[in-house]
Amino acid sequence: MQLTKNEKMNTECSPCVEHPLKTQTKRLTPDEIIDIVCEHFKLQRVKVCGKPRYRYIVETRMIIAYLLRSDRHLNLSLSQIGGLLGGRDHSTVMHSVKQIDNLMSVIPEMREKVRAVFMKVYGNLNYYRND
């Protein structure tokens, strides 16, 4: 069966009014996201997912929680994210996500830091929430 020109066009998704994406966003596993963020901040994954509570490690951990929660393709629960981050409780993850949201709304440097991490992880800013 031969497809007409209009039918061929409908089988492929390209940038348009309904889908204004210019480049494809990477779909990564949670482990890949954690590794990329750890590499970005030059931290060992063992430390980030472990017990240390130094400010720079906790901040990195919170950014990872924020990214994992924001990734709509992964659709991870708070408990699942907590498990990936060293067995943390769902309420700890919820607090981390809210904390990053709050810090981004009042501290421009934090907004830029998260934006840079987002760009490093996904390769573009298609899904970056710039509220």
Side-chain angles (χ1 to χ4, degrees):
M1 178 177 169
Q2 188 84 15
L3 294 176
T4 66
K5 186 175 181 179
N6 286 341
E7 290 172 327
K8 286 180 184 177
M9 288 176 57
N10 291 334
T11 61
E12 297 176 9
C13 185
S14 60
C16 61
V17 177
E18 291 87 14
H19 303 98
L21 302 179
K22 293 180 181 78
T23 58
Q24 186 173 1
T25 300
K26 296 178 193 173
R27 289 193 182 176
L28 302 169
T29 66
D31 289 326
E32 289 172 326
I33 292 171
I34 293 169
D35 290 339
I36 292 169
V37 175
C38 288
E39 178 186 318
H40 178 78
F41 288 110
K42 296 176 178 52
L43 292 171
Q44 296 174 349
R45 183 183 176 140
V46 173
K47 289 184 180 179
V48 172
C49 295
K51 296 210 181 266
R53 292 178 54 183
Y54 298 106
R55 181 183 177 95
Y56 65 96
I57 293 175
V58 171
E59 187 176 277
T60 302
R61 197 180 294 137
M62 291 188 333
I63 291 172
I64 291 170
Y66 179 82
L67 288 178
L68 291 174
R69 186 66 176 165
S70 299
D71 193 319
R72 62 183 180 205
H73 296 295
L74 292 175
N75 200 25
L76 295 173
S77 70
L78 296 171
S79 296
Q80 289 171 319
I81 295 169
L84 290 166
L85 294 175
R88 283 167 171 75
D89 190 67
H90 75 281
S91 60
T92 303
V93 175
M94 185 173 22
H95 174 74
S96 296
V97 172
K98 286 182 183 179
Q99 189 74 12
I100 292 296
D101 258 339
N102 291 338
L103 290 172
M104 285 174 48
S105 67
V106 295
I107 303 174
E109 292 83 13
M110 179 57 80
R111 188 172 33 252
E112 288 306 312
K113 185 183 288 190
V114 173
R115 182 183 165 107
V117 170
F118 197 97
M119 187 67 183
K120 173 103 179 206
V121 170
Y122 295 103
N124 62 53
L125 298 172
N126 290 338
Y127 298 127
Y128 178 70
R129 296 184 321 182
N130 196 15
D131 302 334

